[in-house]
Amino acid sequence: MDPQILASLVMLIAMEVVLGIDNLVFIAILSNRLPEAQRQTARRIGLGLAIGLRFAMLAGASWLLTLTEPIFSVLGLSISGKDMILIGGGMFLIGKATVEIHHRVDPEAHHQPTLPAGGTARFWPVVGQILMLDAVFSVDSVIVAVGLVPQTWIIVTAITVSVLVMLMSMDALSRFMERNPTMVMLALAFLVMIGMVLVAEGFEVHVPKGFVYSAMAVACAVAGLNI
């Protein structure tokens, strides 16, 4: 019951929940492309694998920290393993969000054949994409957590609580996005922005997270007023 330890726990839980919002939006958009009967299962499996992945990263925290060491230099810029993951993940996120935006604004896309029960995507590829993006977000959050808090049990508790929060809010968020298609477009725009931030971080251009989240909060407030 040490106040300092409790403060660290609360801070880390809040950080993990905030960092998990990006992941949550991505999972909601991807899973809503599946047939209705498969959506909840895909979310559960994706988040279950995600928590396992984060614990595996935490177990190999000493190796994970070596990813911050430079591997090579390009035009005087040192690139580490973490940078390569952020750049690759950010480019994947930009590409995936751009494809989803194109699918929603292109009239021809709506005439593509669909799977039974209204789905337009396949189960395991969707789960794989959920896991891939979670790996990108996990690397950054676990490295930050290990750097902030020395007690492993605090990090484990924070990760567990954040995933439980995601599980409890996942279905409600997905239903909300189904009912409000304009919010899906806004979320996809956020994903493009987050992907650009990840790529910038990979090239050692640090964008203050407060600016990013402030912009997202204002955009959500305006969208809420429109609704």
Side-chain angles (χ1 to χ4, degrees), residues 32-36 39 103 108-122:
N32 283 347
R33 293 279 303 278
L34 288 169
E36 191 169 349
R39 292 173 187 173
H103 177 81
E108 297 298 322
H110 297 289
H111 299 295
Q112 293 176 355
T114 61
L115 299 178
T120 58
R122 298 190 180 278

mmCIF file of all heavy atoms in Angstrom, residues 32-36 39 103 108-122:
data_model
loop_
_atom_site.group_PDB
_atom_site.id
_atom_site.type_symbol
_atom_site.label_atom_id
_atom_site.label_comp_id
_atom_site.label_asym_id
_atom_site.label_seq_id
_atom_site.Cartn_x
_atom_site.Cartn_y
_atom_site.Cartn_z
ATOM 1 N N ASN A 32 -15.716 -5.337 -37.883
ATOM 2 C CA ASN A 32 -17.018 -5.029 -38.473
ATOM 3 C C ASN A 32 -17.086 -5.397 -39.956
ATOM 4 O O ASN A 32 -18.171 -5.386 -40.547
ATOM 5 C CB ASN A 32 -17.363 -3.553 -38.291
ATOM 6 C CG ASN A 32 -17.839 -3.241 -36.886
ATOM 7 O OD1 ASN A 32 -18.133 -4.138 -36.109
ATOM 8 N ND2 ASN A 32 -17.898 -1.968 -36.549
ATOM 9 N N ARG A 33 -15.928 -5.741 -40.550
ATOM 10 C CA ARG A 33 -15.924 -6.197 -41.939
ATOM 11 C C ARG A 33 -16.213 -7.694 -42.038
ATOM 12 O O ARG A 33 -16.401 -8.213 -43.136
ATOM 13 C CB ARG A 33 -14.548 -5.902 -42.561
ATOM 14 C CG ARG A 33 -14.200 -4.434 -42.744
ATOM 15 C CD ARG A 33 -14.834 -3.843 -43.987
ATOM 16 N NE ARG A 33 -14.462 -4.568 -45.183
ATOM 17 C CZ ARG A 33 -13.326 -4.390 -45.844
ATOM 18 N NH1 ARG A 33 -12.458 -3.477 -45.422
ATOM 19 N NH2 ARG A 33 -13.058 -5.083 -46.928
ATOM 20 N N LEU A 34 -16.209 -8.397 -40.919
ATOM 21 C CA LEU A 34 -16.467 -9.836 -40.901
ATOM 22 C C LEU A 34 -17.970 -10.114 -40.897
ATOM 23 O O LEU A 34 -18.768 -9.237 -40.539
ATOM 24 C CB LEU A 34 -15.844 -10.464 -39.657
ATOM 25 C CG LEU A 34 -14.320 -10.580 -39.610
ATOM 26 C CD1 LEU A 34 -13.870 -10.969 -38.216
ATOM 27 C CD2 LEU A 34 -13.822 -11.598 -40.630
ATOM 28 N N PRO A 35 -18.373 -11.352 -41.255
ATOM 29 C CA PRO A 35 -19.778 -11.735 -41.045
ATOM 30 C C PRO A 35 -20.147 -11.553 -39.580
ATOM 31 O O PRO A 35 -19.318 -11.763 -38.687
ATOM 32 C CB PRO A 35 -19.785 -13.224 -41.434
ATOM 33 C CG PRO A 35 -18.646 -13.374 -42.377
ATOM 34 C CD PRO A 35 -17.593 -12.415 -41.906
ATOM 35 N N GLU A 36 -21.375 -11.170 -39.322
ATOM 36 C CA GLU A 36 -21.798 -10.790 -37.970
ATOM 37 C C GLU A 36 -21.525 -11.875 -36.935
ATOM 38 O O GLU A 36 -21.142 -11.582 -35.802
ATOM 39 C CB GLU A 36 -23.283 -10.435 -37.970
ATOM 40 C CG GLU A 36 -23.740 -9.772 -36.690
ATOM 41 C CD GLU A 36 -25.135 -9.195 -36.811
ATOM 42 O OE1 GLU A 36 -25.670 -9.132 -37.939
ATOM 43 O OE2 GLU A 36 -25.683 -8.796 -35.768
ATOM 44 N N ARG A 39 -17.766 -11.776 -35.625
ATOM 45 C CA ARG A 39 -17.133 -10.546 -35.150
ATOM 46 C C ARG A 39 -16.658 -10.648 -33.704
ATOM 47 O O ARG A 39 -15.516 -10.329 -33.388
ATOM 48 C CB ARG A 39 -18.109 -9.367 -35.305
ATOM 49 C CG ARG A 39 -18.370 -9.016 -36.748
ATOM 50 C CD ARG A 39 -19.463 -7.974 -36.908
ATOM 51 N NE ARG A 39 -19.799 -7.784 -38.318
ATOM 52 C CZ ARG A 39 -20.796 -7.044 -38.756
ATOM 53 N NH1 ARG A 39 -21.582 -6.401 -37.886
ATOM 54 N NH2 ARG A 39 -21.022 -6.930 -40.049
ATOM 55 N N HIS A 103 -12.276 2.091 -49.852
ATOM 56 C CA HIS A 103 -13.391 1.140 -49.933
ATOM 57 C C HIS A 103 -14.718 1.816 -49.598
ATOM 58 O O HIS A 103 -15.763 1.472 -50.159
ATOM 59 C CB HIS A 103 -13.140 -0.012 -48.956
ATOM 60 C CG HIS A 103 -14.264 -1.009 -48.899
ATOM 61 N ND1 HIS A 103 -14.421 -2.008 -49.839
ATOM 62 C CD2 HIS A 103 -15.292 -1.151 -48.029
ATOM 63 C CE1 HIS A 103 -15.496 -2.721 -49.539
ATOM 64 N NE2 HIS A 103 -16.038 -2.223 -48.445
ATOM 65 N N GLU A 108 -17.805 1.833 -56.593
ATOM 66 C CA GLU A 108 -17.608 0.484 -57.125
ATOM 67 C C GLU A 108 -17.326 -0.522 -56.020
ATOM 68 O O GLU A 108 -17.627 -1.706 -56.157
ATOM 69 C CB GLU A 108 -16.453 0.480 -58.136
ATOM 70 C CG GLU A 108 -16.706 1.331 -59.370
ATOM 71 C CD GLU A 108 -17.901 0.834 -60.161
ATOM 72 O OE1 GLU A 108 -18.094 -0.394 -60.258
ATOM 73 O OE2 GLU A 108 -18.666 1.679 -60.673
ATOM 74 N N ALA A 109 -16.732 -0.063 -54.916
ATOM 75 C CA ALA A 109 -16.365 -0.982 -53.825
ATOM 76 C C ALA A 109 -17.591 -1.627 -53.208
ATOM 77 O O ALA A 109 -17.538 -2.741 -52.706
ATOM 78 C CB ALA A 109 -15.580 -0.229 -52.754
ATOM 79 N N HIS A 110 -18.730 -0.933 -53.258
ATOM 80 C CA HIS A 110 -19.939 -1.453 -52.627
ATOM 81 C C HIS A 110 -20.610 -2.540 -53.461
ATOM 82 O O HIS A 110 -21.551 -3.170 -53.013
ATOM 83 C CB HIS A 110 -20.925 -0.310 -52.369
ATOM 84 C CG HIS A 110 -20.386 0.709 -51.421
ATOM 85 N ND1 HIS A 110 -20.227 0.479 -50.073
ATOM 86 C CD2 HIS A 110 -19.916 1.966 -51.635
ATOM 87 C CE1 HIS A 110 -19.714 1.557 -49.490
ATOM 88 N NE2 HIS A 110 -19.506 2.463 -50.417
ATOM 89 N N HIS A 111 -20.098 -2.737 -54.706
ATOM 90 C CA HIS A 111 -20.667 -3.787 -55.554
ATOM 91 C C HIS A 111 -19.810 -5.039 -55.551
ATOM 92 O O HIS A 111 -20.065 -5.969 -56.316
ATOM 93 C CB HIS A 111 -20.817 -3.265 -56.995
ATOM 94 C CG HIS A 111 -21.738 -2.092 -57.090
ATOM 95 N ND1 HIS A 111 -23.085 -2.167 -56.811
ATOM 96 C CD2 HIS A 111 -21.500 -0.793 -57.418
ATOM 97 C CE1 HIS A 111 -23.646 -0.980 -56.979
ATOM 98 N NE2 HIS A 111 -22.709 -0.129 -57.335
ATOM 99 N N GLN A 112 -18.772 -5.077 -54.693
ATOM 100 C CA GLN A 112 -17.923 -6.266 -54.596
ATOM 101 C C GLN A 112 -18.712 -7.390 -53.938
ATOM 102 O O GLN A 112 -19.575 -7.152 -53.096
ATOM 103 C CB GLN A 112 -16.669 -5.964 -53.762
ATOM 104 C CG GLN A 112 -15.735 -4.967 -54.444
ATOM 105 C CD GLN A 112 -14.566 -4.623 -53.548
ATOM 106 O OE1 GLN A 112 -14.502 -5.042 -52.398
ATOM 107 N NE2 GLN A 112 -13.636 -3.863 -54.086
ATOM 108 N N PRO A 113 -18.397 -8.675 -54.314
ATOM 109 C CA PRO A 113 -19.083 -9.784 -53.668
ATOM 110 C C PRO A 113 -18.786 -9.827 -52.180
ATOM 111 O O PRO A 113 -17.678 -9.516 -51.757
ATOM 112 C CB PRO A 113 -18.489 -11.024 -54.367
ATOM 113 C CG PRO A 113 -17.488 -10.556 -55.346
ATOM 114 C CD PRO A 113 -17.408 -9.075 -55.302
ATOM 115 N N THR A 114 -19.785 -10.174 -51.386
ATOM 116 C CA THR A 114 -19.608 -10.239 -49.936
ATOM 117 C C THR A 114 -19.732 -11.660 -49.451
ATOM 118 O O THR A 114 -20.264 -12.531 -50.140
ATOM 119 C CB THR A 114 -20.661 -9.377 -49.218
ATOM 120 O OG1 THR A 114 -21.948 -9.883 -49.553
ATOM 121 C CG2 THR A 114 -20.557 -7.924 -49.642
ATOM 122 N N LEU A 115 -19.241 -11.905 -48.242
ATOM 123 C CA LEU A 115 -19.358 -13.215 -47.624
ATOM 124 C C LEU A 115 -20.745 -13.354 -47.010
ATOM 125 O O LEU A 115 -21.471 -12.373 -46.877
ATOM 126 C CB LEU A 115 -18.285 -13.358 -46.544
ATOM 127 C CG LEU A 115 -16.836 -13.266 -47.046
ATOM 128 C CD1 LEU A 115 -15.894 -13.373 -45.875
ATOM 129 C CD2 LEU A 115 -16.537 -14.334 -48.070
ATOM 130 N N PRO A 116 -21.140 -14.568 -46.606
ATOM 131 C CA PRO A 116 -22.442 -14.744 -45.981
ATOM 132 C C PRO A 116 -22.598 -13.845 -44.760
ATOM 133 O O PRO A 116 -21.642 -13.526 -44.082
ATOM 134 C CB PRO A 116 -22.435 -16.229 -45.578
ATOM 135 C CG PRO A 116 -21.449 -16.862 -46.498
ATOM 136 C CD PRO A 116 -20.415 -15.829 -46.779
ATOM 137 N N ALA A 117 -23.835 -13.461 -44.468
ATOM 138 C CA ALA A 117 -24.190 -12.637 -43.303
ATOM 139 C C ALA A 117 -23.569 -11.255 -43.367
ATOM 140 O O ALA A 117 -23.300 -10.626 -42.355
ATOM 141 C CB ALA A 117 -23.792 -13.324 -42.001
ATOM 142 N N GLY A 118 -23.309 -10.761 -44.594
ATOM 143 C CA GLY A 118 -22.921 -9.366 -44.748
ATOM 144 C C GLY A 118 -21.452 -9.077 -44.587
ATOM 145 O O GLY A 118 -21.047 -7.930 -44.610
ATOM 146 N N GLY A 119 -20.593 -10.066 -44.431
ATOM 147 C CA GLY A 119 -19.172 -9.800 -44.236
ATOM 148 C C GLY A 119 -18.451 -9.572 -45.550
ATOM 149 O O GLY A 119 -18.876 -10.039 -46.607
ATOM 150 N N THR A 120 -17.363 -8.832 -45.514
ATOM 151 C CA THR A 120 -16.554 -8.601 -46.718
ATOM 152 C C THR A 120 -15.091 -8.971 -46.464
ATOM 153 O O THR A 120 -14.228 -8.613 -47.250
ATOM 154 C CB THR A 120 -16.630 -7.119 -47.136
ATOM 155 O OG1 THR A 120 -16.172 -6.297 -46.060
ATOM 156 C CG2 THR A 120 -18.043 -6.727 -47.513
ATOM 157 N N ALA A 121 -14.793 -9.644 -45.358
ATOM 158 C CA ALA A 121 -13.417 -10.023 -45.038
ATOM 159 C C ALA A 121 -13.413 -11.443 -44.483
ATOM 160 O O ALA A 121 -14.466 -12.009 -44.174
ATOM 161 C CB ALA A 121 -12.828 -9.049 -44.016
ATOM 162 N N ARG A 122 -12.216 -12.024 -44.363
ATOM 163 C CA ARG A 122 -12.086 -13.395 -43.872
ATOM 164 C C ARG A 122 -11.497 -13.383 -42.467
ATOM 165 O O ARG A 122 -10.721 -12.513 -42.111
ATOM 166 C CB ARG A 122 -11.248 -14.228 -44.826
ATOM 167 C CG ARG A 122 -11.895 -14.321 -46.209
ATOM 168 C CD ARG A 122 -11.223 -15.335 -47.110
ATOM 169 N NE ARG A 122 -11.886 -15.373 -48.408
ATOM 170 C CZ ARG A 122 -13.005 -16.064 -48.663
ATOM 171 N NH1 ARG A 122 -13.578 -16.761 -47.683
ATOM 172 N NH2 ARG A 122 -13.543 -16.047 -49.861
#
